[in-house]
Amino acid sequence: MPTFEYAPAPESRAVLDLASSYGLFINGEFTPSTGGASFKTVSPATEEVLAEVSEASEADVEAAVAAARTAYTRVWSRMSGADRGKYLFRIARILQERAREFAVLESLDNGKPIRESRDVDIPLAAAHFFYHAGWADKLDWAGLGADPQPYGVVGQVIPWNFPLLMLSWKIAPALATGNTVVLKPAETTPLTALLFAEVCQQADLPPGVVNIITGAGATGQALVGHGDVDKVAFTGSTAVGKAIARTIAGTRKKATLELGGKAANIVFDDAPLDQAVEGIVNGIFFNQGHVCCAGSRLLVQESVAEEVQERLKARLSTLRVGDPLDKNTDVGAINSRAQLDKITELAAVGEAEGAQRWSPECELPSKGFWFAPTVFTGVSQTHRIAQEEIFGPVLSVLTFRTPGEAVAKANNTPYGLSAGIWTDKGSRILWMADQLKAGVVWANTFNKFDPTSPFGGYKESGYGREGGRHGLQGYVRTGA
Amino acid sequence: MADSRVDVRKTYKLYIGGKFPRSESGRSYEVYAAPRGSRTSASRTDPPFLANVAQGSRKDARDAVVAARKAQPGWAGATAYNRGQVLYRVAEVMEGRRDQFVAEVRAAEGLTPARAEAAVSAAIDRWVWYAGWSDKYTQVDGALNPVAGPYFNISASEPTGVVAVLAPQRSSLLGLVSAVAPVIVSGNTAVVLTSQERPIPAITLAEALATSDVPGGVVNIITGRTAEVAPWLASHRDVNAIDLTGAAGVEDLSWGQLEAAAAENVKRVLRPAGDGPAAVEPDFVPVPDLTRLRTFQETKTVWHPKGV
């Protein structure tokens, strides 16, 4: 069969107007950090320094929280829901109008393929603002309880895997319900959040309603621990989530935690195998596997295990790894050197513990942070690669014989964020969905998201939900 | 002569896995009636001794968690209609023991006969109220999500698993019922630490549960020192959630520390009422909202493609 080579199809960076340095966004203005500290954000694909970003000190956190409090008291809590909604509609529209700019910047700063930032991240971010805009004047009908009221100032800390999308998941519901926010983006991916700050200015959002402070762990801790923050919303690792839960223990701060996962993607022998293989690939190699709900454990019924593995390997051999800005790229760069080291280490542990490692032939760029799509077969329950979240393009394959065994294996982790089921049998899907301890179950599909659809985990994958009517619950107090 | 009859005294025990064991620790402690008319302290006399009650231990709590875990899938797997009838049956059995509950609540809380009657009525009615929720809360809290694509997408509530309950210290029956019923109505199972000073109505409730149709292990009741046993439940890795309501008014117990311990396995926590670090016991008399029920729920969302 002839193979057709793809010509490079890089997206232009001309649409971007990237500054060499950025301040913090506090009270509607970009301001330098009081401590004067800064750090660099790089393109993980090339290690090129993209910009210098301010590191918020405790005093900056103080200023941001104070700005959010003032905006809450004087402006945002007094505004009608309808008017709050109009601001959110404006933001949604600006995100759509500037979608290409955001997509290019997201791929540049994060390393994810432009195909994903253009077709998934940015459109979904806009959709979140559009969806929540409509709730702002309808909260009495949301079934949350009598007279839903905002908490006040919300401190939000988000990860680097979906920088703008996570921002929109956090900011849109908080603003719709009448809260004001201080948000800290991840230190490796601050740029789209800072571009979003410009969108807030462009939308004439009242100063202080949204504040964005860049920095690393210490900045996040200062924000979460701040005495005048009423609610904390965090997405990130389970370890940090537990630390946050301990920090706010004994206070009256509320929290929503979206933490790690180790999802089972379960394939039965009657599954449409080609679709299942696409689902497996999408489940673990979407966004380089930097997805908390990634289908990182493939549980395949023994009778079709060999066939599935063969088809999977054939399909993986067609994945194109490389330049995130190339529109043909399927798998981009690992977000940071630290993350690459973690993935490398856990993959080595997988080999050392006796699982068989396989990767398709692919040339990785010499510069930047790269990891070839990797599949481990012969994995057992006790292997670390079957228990720990790797957060990279690494799939562990296990087998099962009966639905009961599939359920037992799927549930055998401290996590409970997501799961996948592939079978033609409807009654089995419904039975499996009941049995699986997971907040999201994808049947004959995987990694689908929507603003109207609640997302969040069981067990150590965190508490609270984001999205849908359920997501609003975390941002209001009701009744007596 | 009837007056010369020697009464049969009762040994008060724990309720674990549908059985009534003594504490494995072999300990018990003395429980006294609440002083009557505490406002007129001049006339107060020493409160009368009520009973020796089993003093549960860490091991008892662990046994109770094992029993609760074992019972949980079956209880959650029962139909909502069935769970509703079982909860209603508890109310029926309590109604039959009404006089006993009134006497015990009166002794435990130092209430007038009329107020004790009212508290017991409210407690029975609260079972009935929650019984009625069993086949409704999933409708109220569920959703068919209109996602932008050809998918069937539903969200439904599910029980979170095993829930530890620090029962309110003051409201020995109404508060107890108000804390336990919303936990189990959805299919969770519970390990309940009773009011330390007022445990007797809880033991009688255990007898009501044992003779109703509540499967063994669905509710497990431990009497004893709250400050001694609560930390083990808060840090237990096989407990999914904890209700800290009963941390209000207990000496040597910080609810913040319990909440911090609960973070170890990301337990769902229902904090005690109050502001700041203060913990107060809520007023259980008004009909509650759904906060207690919802705290111990997970929302599961299922996606499936639509097509022909």
Side-chain angles (χ1 to χ4, degrees):
Chain A
M1 202 168 73
T3 46
F4 299 97
E5 288 302 320
Y6 288 82
E11 178 63 85
S12 165
R13 284 170 62 168
V15 64
L16 278 186
D17 184 14
L18 202 56
S20 59
S21 72
Y22 288 88
L24 310 165
F25 185 66
I26 296 174
N27 206 28
E29 310 268 351
F30 284 96
T31 53
S33 79
T34 54
S38 68
F39 59 97
K40 293 176 172 63
T41 186
V42 302
S43 153
T46 59
E47 302 180 59
E48 167 200 1
V49 174
L50 296 172
E52 190 100 2
V53 180
S54 300
E55 184 174 336
S57 65
E58 267 187 50
D60 297 322
V61 172
E62 187 67 49
V65 172
R69 173 64 59 193
T70 305
Y72 174 73
T73 314
R74 296 202 185 147
V75 183
W76 202 243
S77 67
R78 297 178 177 192
M79 192 181 287
S80 72
D83 281 349
R84 282 203 313 270
K86 284 181 209 163
Y87 281 110
L88 294 179
F89 279 123
R90 279 188 195 175
I91 291 170
R93 278 291 191 247
I94 296 170
L95 286 176
Q96 289 172 328
E97 286 155 6
R98 299 177 69 173
R100 185 155 154 222
E101 192 182 347
F102 270 101
V104 172
L105 187 57
E106 196 76 312
S107 285
L108 204 55
D109 201 19
N110 168 279
K112 64 174 67 204
I114 185 83
R115 189 168 60 82
E116 293 178 8
S117 53
R118 181 195 63 197
D119 298 348
V120 181
D121 292 53
I122 310 306
L124 264 179
H128 270 272
F129 278 98
F130 200 88
Y131 173 73
H132 285 99
W135 270 128
D137 56 356
K138 300 171 190 68
L139 295 173
D140 284 341
W141 287 271
L144 307 172
D147 191 23
Q149 292 297 320
Y151 284 115
V153 175
V154 184
Q156 307 181 315
V157 177
I158 58 169
W160 45 261
N161 56 343
F162 294 93
L164 186 73
L165 184 55
M166 292 296 110
L167 174 149
S168 69
W169 281 32
K170 293 281 186 290
I171 292 183
L175 262 47
T177 45
N179 300 278
T180 57
V181 309
V182 179
L183 177 130
K184 188 197 88 68
E187 64 265 38
T188 59
T189 55
L191 293 182
T192 43
L194 294 167
L195 188 58
F196 179 81
E198 288 179 26
V199 171
C200 293
Q201 289 178 327
Q202 199 180 340
D204 288 330
L205 190 71
V209 171
V210 169
N211 303 274
I212 292 171
I213 51 171
T214 44
T219 304
Q221 277 171 18
L223 176 58
V224 167
H226 193 290
D228 203 31
V229 165
D230 301 299
K231 189 225 155 74
V232 170
F234 172 75
T235 296
S237 74
T238 290
V240 175
K242 289 179 182 178
I244 289 173
R246 278 191 290 268
T247 301
I248 65 169
T251 72
R252 296 294 171 177
K253 269 181 215 174
K254 299 285 178 181
T256 305
L257 302 176
E258 298 288 353
L259 310 179
K262 191 72 187 173
N265 203 356
I266 303 161
V267 179
F268 284 94
D269 58 8
D270 65 343
L273 288 190
D274 284 328
Q275 287 167 42
V277 165
E278 281 306 302
I280 296 162
V281 170
N282 178 42
I284 184 62
F285 300 113
F286 176 65
N287 201 32
Q288 298 73 245
H290 300 331
V291 187
C292 47
C293 51
S296 53
R297 289 183 299 151
L298 174 62
L299 298 183
V300 55
Q301 200 158 22
E302 208 173 82
S303 47
V304 290
E306 267 184 48
E307 191 182 350
V308 168
Q309 285 173 29
E310 270 171 37
R311 290 196 199 196
L312 184 62
K313 287 177 179 178
R315 175 67 179 87
L316 288 186
S317 301
T318 67
L319 284 185
R320 299 169 58 84
V321 183
D323 182 5
L325 286 184
D326 190 321
K327 289 167 219 159
N328 296 320
T329 293
D330 298 304
V331 179
I334 302 301
N335 181 252
S336 66
R337 183 174 300 284
Q339 187 58 28
L340 178 60
D341 290 346
K342 248 190 231 172
I343 299 167
T344 307
E345 185 200 326
L346 272 166
V349 167
E351 271 186 292
E353 289 186 346
Q356 286 84 55
R357 178 177 184 162
W358 180 89
S359 287
E361 276 183 41
C362 64
E363 266 181 54
L364 300 179
S366 53
K367 264 196 181 166
F369 315 128
W370 302 92
F371 198 91
T374 298
V375 177
F376 278 102
T377 52
V379 178
S380 72
Q381 285 289 313
T382 54
H383 286 167
R384 275 178 68 190
I385 52 170
Q387 290 291 328
E388 292 179 31
E389 190 179 34
I390 299 177
F391 223 66
V394 181
L395 178 68
S396 296
V397 185
L398 298 90
T399 60
F400 68 91
R401 290 183 180 174
T402 63
E405 187 188 346
V407 167
K409 284 185 167 170
N411 287 339
N412 182 23
T413 98
Y415 297 115
L417 188 51
S418 64
I421 308 165
W422 298 85
T423 173
D424 254 357
K425 200 169 172 189
S427 59
R428 182 186 281 155
I429 288 172
L430 297 176
W431 183 85
M432 289 290 291
D434 269 356
Q435 305 299 312
L436 293 168
K437 300 280 185 203
V440 183
V441 177
W442 286 291
N444 293 329
T445 183
F446 209 92
N447 268 347
K448 291 283 181 285
F449 305 94
D450 194 275
T452 67
S453 181
F455 181 90
Y458 284 42
K459 300 194 284 187
E460 293 190 24
S461 289
Y463 40 71
R465 295 292 180 269
E466 292 184 303
R469 202 167 56 78
H470 297 78
L472 298 172
Q473 195 95 49
Y475 285 102
V476 294
R477 56 179 102 238
T478 54
Chain B
M1 259 173 81
D3 286 352
S4 68
R5 178 180 175 273
V6 176
D7 58 353
V8 176
R9 291 196 180 157
K10 180 171 170 181
T11 299
Y12 287 86
K13 295 192 277 190
L14 308 175
Y15 181 53
I16 299 175
K19 297 189 169 63
F20 290 91
R22 290 192 167 84
S23 169
E24 63 79 37
S25 67
R27 300 175 305 176
S28 64
Y29 69 112
E30 296 177 341
V31 172
Y32 293 89
R36 294 267 165 86
S38 53
R39 296 248 171 89
T40 55
S41 55
S43 65
R44 189 191 292 172
T45 51
D46 284 344
F49 171 77
L50 289 181
N52 285 311
V53 166
Q55 188 180 340
S57 65
R58 173 190 184 181
K59 176 67 162 64
D60 295 320
R62 289 171 58 190
D63 290 347
V65 173
V66 170
R69 175 60 66 196
K70 192 173 165 199
Q72 202 268 326
W75 180 239
T79 62
Y81 180 45
N82 181 230
R83 282 200 307 274
Q85 291 189 83
V86 169
L87 260 64
Y88 181 73
R89 175 74 180 148
V90 175
E92 288 181 342
V93 174
M94 285 179 75
E95 191 77 43
R97 289 180 177 244
R98 190 185 170 76
D99 293 347
Q100 183 188 357
F101 275 115
V102 170
E104 288 176 356
V105 167
R106 202 183 157 202
E109 300 182 28
L111 300 179
T112 62
R115 291 189 63 189
E117 291 254 358
V120 172
S121 299
I124 295 171
D125 292 352
R126 186 102 347 135
W127 275 114
V128 175
W129 193 74
Y130 278 111
W133 270 117
S134 75
D135 51 7
K136 293 166 195 71
Y137 74 91
T138 44
Q139 287 182 316
V140 170
D141 273 355
L144 176 63
N145 307 308
V147 297
Y151 295 93
F152 176 66
N153 180 297
I154 52 165
S155 294
S157 292
E158 284 193 352
T160 196
V162 173
V163 180
V165 177
L166 308 191
Q169 298 296 333
R170 301 178 61 79
S171 183
S172 62
L173 185 67
L174 175 57
L176 174 77
V177 165
S178 301
V180 173
V183 167
I184 66 168
V185 66
S186 61
N188 295 299
T189 54
V191 175
V192 183
L193 275 187
T194 67
S195 165
Q196 180 170 312
E197 308 285 344
R198 304 171 173 184
I200 289 177
I203 300 164
T204 301
L205 177 66
E207 292 172 1
L209 293 168
T211 51
S212 64
D213 302 310
V214 180
V218 169
V219 180
N220 303 276
I221 294 182
I222 311 274
T223 50
R225 305 289 186 204
T226 308
E228 179 195 343
V229 182
W232 300 114
L233 289 172
S235 63
H236 196 298
R237 295 294 296 247
D238 204 34
V239 171
N240 301 96
I242 187 163
D243 174 354
L244 298 179
T245 302
V250 180
E251 270 183 42
D252 304 323
L253 188 68
S254 145
W255 68 266
Q257 281 176 14
L258 294 177
E259 188 183 1
E264 192 46 49
N265 67 331
V266 199
K267 283 185 188 67
R268 285 70 178 128
V269 176
L270 184 65
R271 288 174 175 156
D275 291 312
V280 298
E281 190 163 312
D283 176 5
F284 288 104
V285 174
V287 174
D289 68 7
L290 290 183
T291 303
R292 286 185 170 272
L293 209 161
R294 280 176 172 156
T295 302
F296 305 115
Q297 298 298 315
E298 302 288 350
T299 300
K300 178 180 279 177
T301 300
V302 181
W303 294 67
H304 195 279
K306 281 190 219 171
V308 287

